[in-house]
Amino acid sequence: MSEDVEELRRALESAQGELSAMRDVHEAALARVRAEGDQAVIAASLRAEAMRLGAHNPDDVVRLMDRSEVARGDDGEVRGVAAAIERCRRERGYLFSAGGVPGTASGSTFAVAAPRPGEAPPFDARKLSDTDYAARKWQFLAGK
């Protein structure tokens, strides 16, 4: 009986050792996945801010900029995006447009041209009120 207990203890210690090793491997993998996820969220936030500020190619802005001060907090919020993009805009102004020009493409955005005035709808005297009809009739007769 004592041999069975000792054998069970050895099996338990072996299983606990394997469990500890597996836990370490999984914690390292989880940390790697979290870091990759944080970097993806940070890159997306930087890309969105670069587009908002008129970057010609937001992906190039994200690749070329210094991201050392941009971090994702425990609450999931990305901090330092606006300051980093502004610093990049000052240092590498050629990556950004001077301003939105109507009717031109800029990066992945398209500035819509100002609308042109349309043509007046055709005149239909049958749809006028009596007072408007009388006023139009007198305008027409006065023009002759």
Side-chain angles (χ1 to χ4, degrees):
M1 175 119 182
S2 139
E3 293 174 7
D4 292 338
V5 172
E6 285 300 317
E7 188 177 325
L8 287 174
R9 281 188 184 149
R10 281 189 297 251
L12 178 63
E13 288 173 4
S14 174
Q16 286 175 339
E18 288 177 23
L19 180 64
S20 176
M22 289 174 65
R23 183 178 296 129
D24 292 343
V25 169
H26 287 292
E27 285 177 0
L30 181 62
R32 181 181 48 79
V33 168
R34 281 187 181 152
E36 289 173 1
D38 287 349
Q39 290 304 314
V41 170
I42 288 170
S45 297
L46 290 169
R47 193 176 303 109
E49 185 69 12
M51 277 192 267
R52 190 182 73 76
L53 292 178
H56 295 295
N57 189 339
D59 292 326
D60 286 347
V61 172
V62 172
R63 274 188 233 114
L64 295 173
M65 69 182 296
D66 176 27
R67 296 199 256 179
S68 61
E69 295 179 13
V70 181
R72 187 172 181 198
D74 293 334
D75 59 351
E77 292 292 318
V78 181
R79 291 177 180 76
V81 171
I85 292 290
E86 279 299 324
R87 186 173 54 252
C88 181
R89 191 174 186 190
R90 282 192 311 272
E91 294 170 356
R92 300 176 189 261
Y94 60 88
L95 294 172
F96 296 87
S97 64
V101 179
T104 61
S106 171
S108 62
T109 60
F110 184 77
V112 179
R116 295 184 180 172
E119 293 185 22
F123 177 72
D124 188 359
R126 294 175 294 178
K127 294 182 180 177
L128 291 177
S129 66
D130 292 335
T131 54
D132 287 338
Y133 177 77
R136 289 278 188 131
K137 181 173 79 172
W138 285 109
Q139 285 175 350
F140 178 73
L141 294 174
K144 281 190 173 182

